[in-house]
Amino acid sequence: MTELLLIGIFFGTLWFSFQYGWWRATVPFRYPRILMYHMVANHKPRARFNKLRVEPNEFEKQIRWLSQNGWKFRFVSELPVSENEKSVVLTFDDGYRDNFLTADPVLAKYHAKATLFLTEGRHDVGWSSKKKAHHDDEELQLEAKLLDEDVRSMISSGRWEIGSHGLTHENLRTSDSKTRAAEIRESKSLLENKFGVSVESFAYPFGIYGREDVDLVEESGYRFGLTTEQGISMNLTEPDSYVLKRIKVSGAGGMYSFTLRIRTGKCRFRD
């Protein structure tokens, strides 16, 4: 019985280490953590994209923990920050309406702020099949998206700034040069003219990009380009400022997973 218990403990520890990668070294807190969210919403039964849905109660736990543990909330445009400051940048991709209806009240409660990467052509469309052809777009298509008046209210609150996530959430890898230019360059000018703000950052749709896309982001007048590569960037100046890493906040993880990601930039062994 004792031997079986020891074997169970051994394999349990092995599984835990593989699952969470707790053994990774802490990345010094002087490097800002850039978090990537999509939706703040309840999970849906048997839905493909529940990992993109952080439950509202979990989201509030995360923001409360950051606030209570001395993290200062910053916009992407405020990077880089003082090395003496523990900074966290909240980013939201795509433009789901729950960002305004559910996430924003939490930000207000804890005096937090966030950068919204907005897809201009976000209404009544899905885009998952642009990355994987076998995916059904209906789930994301049916998800409520931000109205322009929502975005204006978010900006006027001082809690949000906007960045571009392209015109149509196009897969830049499979697009021709004209389409890539429109997605990157025209989306910037369109958002700036519509909302009367400066758009200084671009998040590559699906995190897919090539060297030519990075160059185009820089040439278009953006100061930052954000990827979906897991981790914490230690250099926030050019040229690295155009390929910044982010920490993915998954709807499948709890607070242990969240705090581990904040500490190391990653959670699971395969990250």
Side-chain angles (χ1 to χ4, degrees), residues 97 118-120 122-123 145-155 190-191 194-195:
R97 198 158 194 237
L118 193 61
T119 300
E120 170 58 23
R122 60 193 176 277
H123 297 290
K145 310 299 196 306
L146 286 165
L147 306 176
D148 285 351
E149 51 263 41
D150 298 334
V151 178
R152 292 189 178 94
S153 294
M154 294 162 79
I155 294 170
L190 193 154
L191 290 172
K194 177 178 288 189
F195 298 111

Side-chain angles (χ1 to χ4, degrees), residues 19-233:
Q19 185 76 359
Y20 289 103
W22 56 267
W23 36 264
R24 289 191 177 97
T26 299
V27 176
F29 290 150
R30 66 179 180 273
Y31 299 113
R33 274 57 173 165
I34 305 177
L35 308 187
M36 180 177 65
Y37 292 90
H38 288 79
M39 291 174 261
V40 178
N42 293 319
H43 290 182
K44 297 182 177 181
R46 298 178 298 281
R48 178 189 293 275
F49 294 107
N50 277 336
K51 287 186 177 181
L52 300 185
R53 296 183 176 92
V54 175
E55 298 269 2
N57 63 322
E58 287 297 317
F59 179 71
E60 180 160 3
K61 287 179 186 177
Q62 293 165 5
I63 303 305
R64 182 192 305 123
W65 183 89
L66 290 167
S67 178
Q68 292 176 344
N69 284 273
W71 290 90
K72 305 299 182 183
F73 298 95
R74 298 298 183 190
F75 291 136
V76 171
S77 65
E78 294 178 304
L79 297 175
V81 297
S82 168
E83 288 191 357
N84 298 320
E85 179 182 292
K86 288 167 55 178
S87 301
V88 62
V89 179
L90 311 178
T91 68
F92 289 77
D93 285 9
D94 300 341
Y96 299 100
R97 198 158 194 237
D98 57 65
N99 295 178
F100 175 57
L101 299 178
T102 307
D104 184 55
V106 176
L107 300 188
K109 181 176 180 179
Y110 295 97
H111 307 288
K113 55 187 180 180
T115 298
L116 169 66
F117 286 108
L118 193 61
T119 300
E120 170 58 23
R122 60 193 176 277
H123 297 290
D124 301 317
V125 295
W127 39 69
S128 183
S129 63
K130 293 183 179 181
K131 181 180 180 183
K132 298 181 179 180
H134 66 279
H135 278 189
D136 186 343
D137 287 332
E138 183 179 21
E139 182 180 338
L140 294 182
Q141 180 174 338
L142 293 176
E143 202 68 44
K145 310 299 196 306
L146 286 165
L147 306 176
D148 285 351
E149 51 263 41
D150 298 334
V151 178
R152 292 189 178 94
S153 294
M154 294 162 79
I155 294 170
S156 65
S157 74
R159 290 185 293 274
W160 296 83
E161 71 170 6
I162 60 171
S164 174
H165 204 34
L167 289 177
T168 62
H169 206 291
E170 191 60 62
N171 184 338
L172 299 178
R173 180 180 296 162
T174 59
S175 302
D176 58 34
S177 58
K178 183 178 180 180
T179 300
R180 291 201 303 271
E183 289 291 323
I184 296 171
R185 183 180 294 120
E186 293 180 22
S187 63
K188 183 179 193 297
S189 59
L190 193 154
L191 290 172
E192 289 180 333
N193 292 333
K194 177 178 288 189
F195 298 111
V197 296
S198 176
V199 174
E200 300 188 30
S201 52
F202 183 88
Y204 303 100
F206 307 111
I208 297 173
Y209 63 94
R211 182 69 253 175
E212 64 278 13
D213 304 310
V214 176
D215 292 342
L216 188 54
V217 167
E218 182 176 5
E219 293 164 5
S220 299
Y222 295 99
R223 294 174 53 221
F224 304 96
L226 283 81
T227 73
T228 60
E229 183 180 351
Q230 292 266 38
I232 299 167
S233 291

